[in-house]
Amino acid sequence: MALYSDKVMDHFQNPRNVGKMDDADGVGEVGNAKCGDIMKMYIKVNDGIITDVKFNTFGCGSAIATSSMATELIKGKPIEEALQLSNKAVVEALDGLPAHKIHCSVLAEEAVRAAVKDYYDKNGIAYNPDEFQIHDCEHCHD
Ligand code: FES
């Protein structure tokens, strides 16, 4: 069996929503504690809906594929829904990742959260800080 699913290969080779956004309403930058890779996520928000999203990464192929899928999953969705996006949901949407690459999907999840938090901070929107706790990678392999 191939190590990576067709969907992972597709999103790695043709990543969606790559780039910078100069007029972003929220920007999140996170680093992966396990490998040192970096991810930056930009969101545009209109009436509580994420109307556009872009990402830039200095990360591996799995980071690229998961971020690409994450942007597809949150685009056009209410911002609260983006906050609920888990790395597991992203991995499932990609038909799985090898266990040792699951931590790469965390980068995508955390970058989305960081961008949402930045949007909330910039707009003085109150939020529950518990929703922005750092992901515990040890549970990624459940
Ligand atoms: Fe660093 Fe995948 S090895 S994000």
Side-chain angles (χ1 to χ4, degrees):
M1 204 185 98
L3 189 56
Y4 293 104
S5 72
D6 289 346
K7 280 192 191 167
V8 171
M9 290 310 291
D10 177 33
H11 278 266
F12 165 55
Q13 284 167 335
N14 309 293
R16 326 304 197 254
N17 307 306
V18 174
K20 267 181 73 181
M21 195 189 290
D22 290 332
D23 59 346
D25 294 313
V27 182
E29 184 171 350
V30 294
N32 190 315
K34 289 215 167 184
C35 63
D37 288 345
I38 295 168
M39 166 78 57
K40 205 161 180 180
M41 187 78 64
Y42 306 82
I43 55 172
K44 187 98 198 124
V45 183
N46 220 320
D47 272 344
I49 304 288
I50 297 179
T51 53
D52 200 9
V53 49
K54 292 255 184 291
F55 79 93
N56 263 331
T57 187
F58 184 80
C60 70
S62 298
I64 292 169
T66 52
S67 306
S68 169
M69 179 56 88
T71 60
E72 291 274 277
L73 291 173
I74 66 169
K75 201 171 184 175
K77 299 277 169 54
I79 196 154
E80 296 79 16
E81 238 174 84
L83 206 46
Q84 303 306 319
L85 181 77
S86 70
N87 74 302
K88 279 188 181 170
V90 174
V91 170
E92 274 170 27
L94 285 168
D95 294 336
L97 269 181
H100 68 286
K101 302 303 283 182
I102 295 290
H103 75 271
C104 312
S105 65
V106 174
L107 203 58
E109 176 195 306
E110 290 196 336
V112 170
R113 281 176 190 283
V116 170
K117 185 172 183 295
D118 184 51
Y119 170 76
Y120 283 165
D121 285 340
K122 280 183 176 147
N123 290 278
I125 298 170
Y127 55 82
N128 178 357
D130 289 349
E131 287 192 283
F132 295 95
Q133 278 181 359
I134 297 300
H135 182 100
D136 178 1
C137 243
E138 298 310 317
H139 295 111
C140 279
H141 300 278
D142 289 351

